[in-house]
Amino acid sequence: MNPRYALFGHPVAHSLSPQIHAQFAQQFGIAMDYVAIDVAPDAFAQTLQKFADDGGWGGNVTVPHKQAAFALCDSLSGRAQRAGSVNTLLRTESGWHGDTTDGIGLVRDLTIRHGYDLHGCRALLLGAGGAAAGVAPALLDAGVRELVIVNRTQANAAALVARIAEAGNVRACEWSELTALRPFEMIVNATSAARAVQPLSLPSSLANSQTLAVDLGYGNAADDFLSWATTVGCEARIDGLGMLVEQAAESFLLWHGLRPQTNSVLARLQNLAGTR
Ligand code: ATR
């Protein structure tokens, strides 16, 4: 039997991760099984335990289980501790080791693939949930000079800032204060507003032609924010498909000690999806 890996989420039917990991494994001639497991929150702990009992070697975790996975791990990487969430699980003798590769995945997509230098960058992060917490410390580590976090629920932004304050210059601001802020060099949408009824409401003064607009989602989920970015004149707009492939590559590296090539995998997904 091949070593078993799985993605845990709810829903996961449309996840691209099984395809991505199959292509990575093919690059090295590694035999592995990677399946998507749809599990509701109340059954997550039990399902993960059964996967371990059945010999599961590693896993990825996506919405809505990243915080639950964090709580179930026996050991955690430093970046998972700072993010408060886990997207990668590695089986050890004593239990699950948890890591988060979302932040480094975003940074590698922006810097290595797209060639941006984040040093000295003044950035606005929209959202303070799991996705925002995953990327915020990595952006500061990558050299972002000032990170402003704005969130619909101000208390959540304040809590995230308090948790990552040691990582760099980060502060929370009220949504109502956005009109008073000058344009940012980068705006990252880490909200799940695209999955909600209420769209994001952002003043046009936040951005200009030099602003890099980044959405952590891809496909339809990135359309609203990136359309707004087009309307306000942002010339550079990036969706989260590259980040998805990069975070997967970091997981693969943790499991196998091998770094896969990502450009060809991303190109294939873009062709399939007809995305930008
Ligand atoms: P994820 O794991 O995808 O980050 P999450 O942890 O539920 O999901 O976080 C969702 C984020 O999107 C939160 O910051 C949420 O704001 P609240 O803290 O106020 O809930 C934000 N969000 C969701 N819908 C939104 C909307 N319609 N407008 C603005 N922000 C929204």
Side-chain angles (χ1 to χ4, degrees):
M1 197 166 73
N2 292 335
R4 295 180 60 223
Y5 295 82
L7 167 70
F8 299 88
H10 186 59
V12 284
H14 297 103
S15 171
L16 298 172
S17 293
Q19 283 186 50
I20 294 171
H21 282 287
Q23 290 180 47
F24 289 165
Q26 212 173 16
Q27 287 180 17
F28 299 103
I30 291 175
M32 68 183 261
D33 289 334
Y34 184 109
V35 295
I37 298 179
D38 191 329
V39 52
D42 58 0
F44 175 64
Q46 198 187 348
T47 305
L48 186 61
Q49 184 59 52
K50 178 158 188 338
F51 179 69
D53 294 345
D54 291 348
W57 286 40
N60 283 133
V61 182
T62 188
V63 177
H65 303 310
K66 290 184 184 182
Q67 277 90 354
F70 176 88
L72 289 169
C73 284
D74 290 86
S75 63
L76 293 160
S77 68
R79 55 193 185 189
Q81 281 172 14
R82 275 198 301 176
S85 73
V86 155
N87 81 336
T88 305
L89 295 163
L90 182 64
R91 187 86 185 127
T92 69
E93 277 180 14
S94 57
W96 291 111
H97 174 73
D99 198 352
T100 180
T101 63
D102 289 330
I104 190 70
L106 173 65
V107 167
R108 286 183 65 88
D109 186 51
L110 297 179
T111 59
I112 297 176
R113 172 166 298 105
H114 292 285
Y116 290 102
D117 182 0
L118 299 180
H119 287 98
C121 173
R122 191 174 147 267
L124 175 66
L125 180 61
L126 309 174
V135 301
L139 290 174
L140 291 165
D141 288 350
V144 164
R145 171 174 58 90
E146 182 188 354
L147 185 65
V148 178
I149 300 182
V150 65
N151 191 48
R152 182 176 60 179
T153 309
Q154 162 77 7
N156 295 346
L160 175 56
V161 166
R163 217 169 62 224
I164 63 171
E166 279 175 15
N169 178 12
V170 54
R171 70 180 173 91
C173 98
E174 300 264 357
W175 210 276
S176 59
E177 289 173 59
L178 289 179
T179 45
L181 303 182
R182 63 195 163 85
F184 284 85
E185 286 150 321
M186 177 167 75
I187 303 179
V188 178
N189 179 27
T191 72
S192 61
R195 305 197 297 262
V197 185
Q198 177 111 41
L200 286 179
S201 163
L202 297 167
S204 57
S205 52
L206 286 178
N208 59 27
S209 61
Q210 302 303 306
T211 304
L212 167 62
V214 181
D215 199 303
L216 301 191
Y218 55 87
N220 292 341
D223 281 348
D224 284 352
F225 174 70
L226 295 183
S227 299
W228 171 84
T230 307
T231 311
V232 298
C234 301
E235 283 168 14
R237 301 176 298 276
I238 295 176
D239 74 8
L241 198 56
M243 170 185 167
L244 179 78
V245 177
E246 292 303 325
Q247 64 77 30
E250 292 290 325
S251 296
F252 192 93
L253 177 64
L254 273 169
W255 295 330
H256 304 289
L258 297 165
R259 178 178 288 288
Q261 300 291 329
T262 53
N263 285 345
S264 59
V265 177
L266 177 59
R268 207 163 299 152
L269 293 180
Q270 283 167 331
N271 284 341
L272 277 178
T275 53
R276 61 204 116 232

